[in-house]
């Protein structure tokens, strides 16, 4: 049995919330753009059909919240370079398999004989390395704070000589700051990711509300959770205030998961990170700290500078990732680029904006 | 301008097997057995899986709801807070 979620999907509560939201939107009387920065939000809100229930003045845009989609081609290239030149077995999460590199994805490389194994967790990758001591293993680790603290736990306690980790971890709050600063994006509030917040808590978003006077609300993933998040954002917009509302209090504490944060701080140091098509963003990445450099694949293997291209054949993943364009504005969408044949990274993961749009086709028309 | 109607259609693409493994998810589950200090069994919609508790400071008991992410427990449900949520929604419903 899993968590009793019925109440969080109750139609009566959803209807009541939609009514409240519509009322608030009318009172505000302007077009409102809200950005979420979580792939699971995009997936769950589209699956529940929430966009169609919201008043049309509200535009819910998808930010760079899917860790698979934001992985740069260079990271895939580097991992494959290690596999080719050092005869290393690659282990990674299933949805990284088809993320396009400059020339090929891990899946395509597997086709020409590179040994790539899909694992559910970094612990499973470790088990594989333990069972095969005569081969070297590399774990290609991606994800935001939620996933990086899991990898961090193994960074600290593992001392296997045939196991290394390639960290492509990214941070959410500093990326949110960079999005607020951009002149080409206009939106009025952030729906902060629930699962990332279970780790980091509500505290790190404080500076966005204070410094930039920008409303933030932390939302869970059931329909009622998401609507509650939107509702409290609208309330802030109407009042003209900016604060961090926590609407996922049953899992998210103000100070976050203290043990996980300690693990993160111990294992990683903040660094710059490459975001697909968006270039290098300062202070948005997590590198394995110097203390544990023996497990860091980037230090273990002398990886050369590799020329790489993130966007191929007219792909506009860069614009989709920051919500500047919608999937159907891409000329490849559902033509050359499909869930079964992705060209851009946003089409790869189940939570990528393009994959969601193609899988749960939203058909809109006027009566 | 008329009313905008929206219909969601689930399109079934032929998804290859490699896609089944989705990392970026935290799934709610129920603790059904304490194996050792760092290991528990979690029931996730009927499937039992071992999970690591080393990222959680709070003590866990059988019957607790938790969030599991790639084999690790990252958060424990606060039942008091969940009850508050329900109360809040009842207020919204009745207002």
């Amino acid at each position: 049995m899993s968590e009793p979620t019925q109440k969080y999907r109750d139609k009566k509560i959803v209807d009541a919330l939609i009514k409240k939201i519509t009322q608030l939107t009318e009172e505000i009387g302007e077009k409102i753009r809200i950005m979420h920065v979580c792939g699971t939000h995009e997936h769950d809100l589209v699956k529940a059909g929430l966009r169609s229930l919201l008043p049309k003045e509200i535009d819910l845009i998808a930010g760079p919240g899917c860790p698979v989609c934001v992985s740069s081609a260079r990271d895939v290239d580097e991992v494959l370079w290690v596999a080719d030149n050092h005869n290393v077995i690659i282990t990674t999460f299933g949805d990284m398999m088809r993320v396009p590199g400059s020339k090929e994805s891990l899946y395509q490389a597997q086709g020409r004989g590179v040994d790539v194994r899909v694992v559910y967790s970094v612990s499973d990758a470790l088990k594989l390395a333990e069972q095969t001591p005569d081969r070297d293993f590399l774990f290609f680790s991606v994800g935001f704070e939620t996933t990086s603290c899991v990898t961090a736990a193994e960074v600290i306690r593992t001392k296997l000589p045939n196991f290394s980790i390639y960290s492509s971890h990214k941070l959410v709050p500093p990326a949110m700051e960079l999005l607020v600063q951009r002149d080409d994006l206009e939106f009025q509030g952030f729906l902060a990711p629930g699962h990332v917040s279970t780790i980091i808590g509500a505290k790190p978003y404080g500076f966005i509300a204070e410094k930039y006077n920008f409303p933030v609300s932390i939302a869970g993933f059931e329909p009622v959770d998401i609507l509650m998040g939107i509702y409290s954002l609208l309330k802030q917009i109407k009042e003209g205030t900016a604060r961090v509302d926590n609407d996922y209090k049953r899992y998210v504490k103000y100070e976050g998961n203290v043990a996980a944060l300690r693990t993160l701080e111990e294992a990683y140091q903040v660094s710059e990170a490459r975001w697909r098509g968006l270039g290098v963003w300062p202070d948005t990445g997590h590198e394995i700290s110097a203390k544990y450099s023996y497990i860091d694949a980037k230090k273990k293997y002398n990886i050369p500078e590799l020329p790489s291209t993130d966007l191929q054949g007219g792909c506009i993943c860069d614009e989709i990732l920051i919500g500047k364009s919608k999937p159907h504005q891409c000329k490849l969408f559902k033509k050359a680029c499909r869930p079964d044949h992705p060209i851009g990274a946003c089409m790869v993961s189940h939570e990528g904006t393009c994959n969601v749009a193609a899988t749960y086709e939203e058909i809109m028309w006027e009566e | 301008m008329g009313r905008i109607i929206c219909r969601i259609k689930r399109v079934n693409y032929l998804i290859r097997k490699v896609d089944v493994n989705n990392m970026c998810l935290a799934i709610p589950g129920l603790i059904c057995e304490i194996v050792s200090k760092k290991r528990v069994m979690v029931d996730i919609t009927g499937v039992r899986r071992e999970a690591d508790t080393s990222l959680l400071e709070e003590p866990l008991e059988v019957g607790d709801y938790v969030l599991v992410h790639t084999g690790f427990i990252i958060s424990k449900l606060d039942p008091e807070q969940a009850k508050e949520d329900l109360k809040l929604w009842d207020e919204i419903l009745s207002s």
Side-chain angles (χ1 to χ4, degrees), chain B residues 28-76:
Chain B
L30 179 72
I31 306 271
C32 52
E33 194 189 326
I34 312 280
V35 181
S36 68
K37 212 178 155 200
K38 294 275 174 207
R39 303 244 136 214
V40 291
M41 292 300 282
V42 186
D43 184 327
I44 300 165
T45 57
V47 179
R48 280 165 64 108
R49 210 200 126 93
E50 206 177 58
D52 196 309
T53 64
S54 46
L55 287 177
L56 205 70
E57 253 176 5
E58 304 142 271
L60 288 170
E61 282 169 35
V62 172
D64 281 341
Y65 285 105
V66 289
L67 275 184
V68 187
H69 175 71
T70 64
F72 282 68
I73 290 171
I74 55 163
S75 185
K76 179 178 146 184

Side-chain angles (χ1 to χ4, degrees), chain A residues 48-110:
Chain A
L50 293 186
R51 278 208 182 94
S52 63
L53 296 174
L54 290 171
K56 59 176 185 296
E57 287 80 14
I58 297 183
D59 190 7
L60 257 184
I61 54 176
C66 162
V68 176
C69 312
V70 296
S71 304
S72 82
R74 170 92 177 264
D75 291 349
V76 178
D77 295 349
E78 290 194 354
V79 166
L80 278 172
W81 182 89
V82 174
D84 285 335
N85 292 278
H86 293 272
N87 194 23
V88 171
I89 298 176
I90 308 292
T91 51
T92 191
F93 300 117
D95 28 9
M96 281 310 291
M97 286 298 280
R98 291 195 297 148
V99 171
S102 299
K103 284 194 205 92
E104 57 184 358
S105 65
L106 295 175
Y107 190 62
Q108 285 160 330
Q110 200 181 33

